[in-house]
Amino acid sequence: MAIQVGVTIDRSSPVPLYHQLAEQLSNAVATGQLRPGDPFENEIALATRLSLSRPTVRRAILELVNRGFLVRRRGLGTTVANRKVHRRAELTSLYDDLKREGVQPETILLQHELKRDEQIAGMLDLPADTELLAIVRLRLAGGRPLAILRNWLPPPYTDINKDDLEAAGLYAVLRERGGRPVVAHQSIGARMPDAAERRHLQLRPAEPVLTMTRSAFDAVGAPVEYGDHCYRAQDYSIDVMIDQR
């Protein structure tokens, strides 16, 4: 059962009602009154209890989703996000990052096939037998290899073709099809590359790679992509912003 958070709305305040609500609810998450995985009070019940309009409550909930405090999942409703889930205003791809830095990215497609993978499907909250589009790309910057990008895409995006992937970044292609990841669980690490990775990235035997895995979902909790990437450590770094509210 959803926990009812005590909220005080000051209708004489110049602060918009939705923002007052969002701030008090986000504080309840930050202080532990609402804990990761807790079911969140539904929009109608919250609007009725606080004598607010549904659009006002809906806007407050959307703000909390966008800030990473709440996650919407089909069939499960809205729940408090896990502390390991982080969100940025707009998740970007390596292709987008390179373009912003004035570097022309190049893509060599190494794999493009439909396949089933029980573990990856689980990462995307999909049934184990779901057919996914598995793609592997070698990303170059200024003619030099920089990263090997492995991605698995759920059914709404399995029609993405080779030409699309070689002409633009994956997230740009997804956005054209309405896929906008806003919530992600991301892990960063390092390891020694395998033989194929060493060859593609032109690494010496003792050189490690940086790694990043990411499960990305849209604003209603539908899966968008799972990525498992590795980068030349001497040419790439991953910056993480720590925001303590």
Side-chain angles (χ1 to χ4, degrees):
M1 179 178 293
I3 297 173
Q4 293 187 349
V5 176
V7 174
T8 301
I9 299 296
D10 182 359
R11 287 174 168 78
S12 65
S13 170
V15 179
L17 300 183
Y18 83 90
H19 190 68
Q20 292 185 47
L21 176 58
E23 284 300 300
Q24 293 178 66
L25 293 175
S26 64
N27 185 64
V29 176
T31 59
Q33 183 180 355
L34 292 174
R35 302 181 62 81
D38 281 348
F40 191 77
E41 191 173 4
N42 71 58
E43 177 187 306
I44 297 175
L46 193 56
T48 301
R49 180 165 68 87
L50 300 177
S51 299
L52 293 172
S53 69
R54 287 184 63 184
T56 295
V57 173
R58 187 178 304 122
R59 187 171 179 183
I61 292 175
L62 181 60
E63 181 171 325
L64 295 179
V65 170
N66 290 340
R67 289 166 59 185
F69 286 101
L70 301 178
V71 176
R72 287 173 171 170
R73 296 285 176 85
R74 290 176 180 171
L76 297 177
T78 302
T79 59
V80 179
N82 189 290
R83 289 191 179 94
K84 292 184 178 179
V85 173
H86 302 279
R87 193 260 174 195
R88 295 186 180 187
E90 184 178 2
L91 295 171
T92 61
S93 67
L94 177 57
Y95 191 99
D96 297 329
D97 295 338
L98 291 170
K99 291 284 283 186
R100 268 196 301 272
E101 294 175 6
V103 178
Q104 181 57 46
E106 300 172 63
T107 303
I108 298 175
L109 193 61
L110 303 177
Q111 178 186 351
H112 180 280
E113 64 175 318
L114 293 172
K115 62 189 302 185
R116 291 177 172 84
D117 187 306
E118 181 176 351
Q119 182 177 0
I120 301 300
M123 296 290 188
L124 293 173
D125 293 341
L126 293 170
D129 61 349
T130 301
E131 192 171 59
L132 307 169
L133 176 61
I135 58 176
V136 180
R137 294 161 295 151
L138 176 63
R139 176 60 42 76
L140 299 94
R144 296 184 57 195
L146 178 60
I148 296 174
L149 312 173
R150 300 178 178 89
N151 294 86
W152 289 261
L153 307 180
Y157 312 112
T158 54
D159 64 330
I160 291 175
N161 61 47
K162 297 179 180 180
D163 291 340
D164 293 333
L165 295 168
E166 291 181 338
L170 175 60
Y171 274 25
V173 175
L174 289 170
R175 286 193 293 269
E176 289 179 355
R177 288 164 168 74
R180 294 184 176 274
V182 298
V183 177
H185 179 187
Q186 183 165 289
S187 297
I188 298 168
R191 60 173 171 79
M192 298 306 295
D194 62 29
E197 291 168 341
R198 187 177 296 115
R199 183 177 69 255
H200 285 305
L201 294 175
Q202 300 177 12
L203 297 170
R204 292 187 294 271
E207 290 183 285
V209 290
L210 290 177
T211 63
M212 183 190 71
T213 61
R214 181 161 71 192
S215 303
F217 301 83
D218 66 17
V220 298
V224 177
E225 61 104 7
Y226 177 78
D228 183 358
H229 306 158
C230 65
Y231 309 84
R232 287 176 58 97
Q234 65 268 46
D235 294 329
Y236 192 76
S237 63
I238 300 173
D239 296 324
V240 179
M241 178 180 292
I242 306 298
D243 182 9
Q244 181 160 348
R245 299 180 184 276

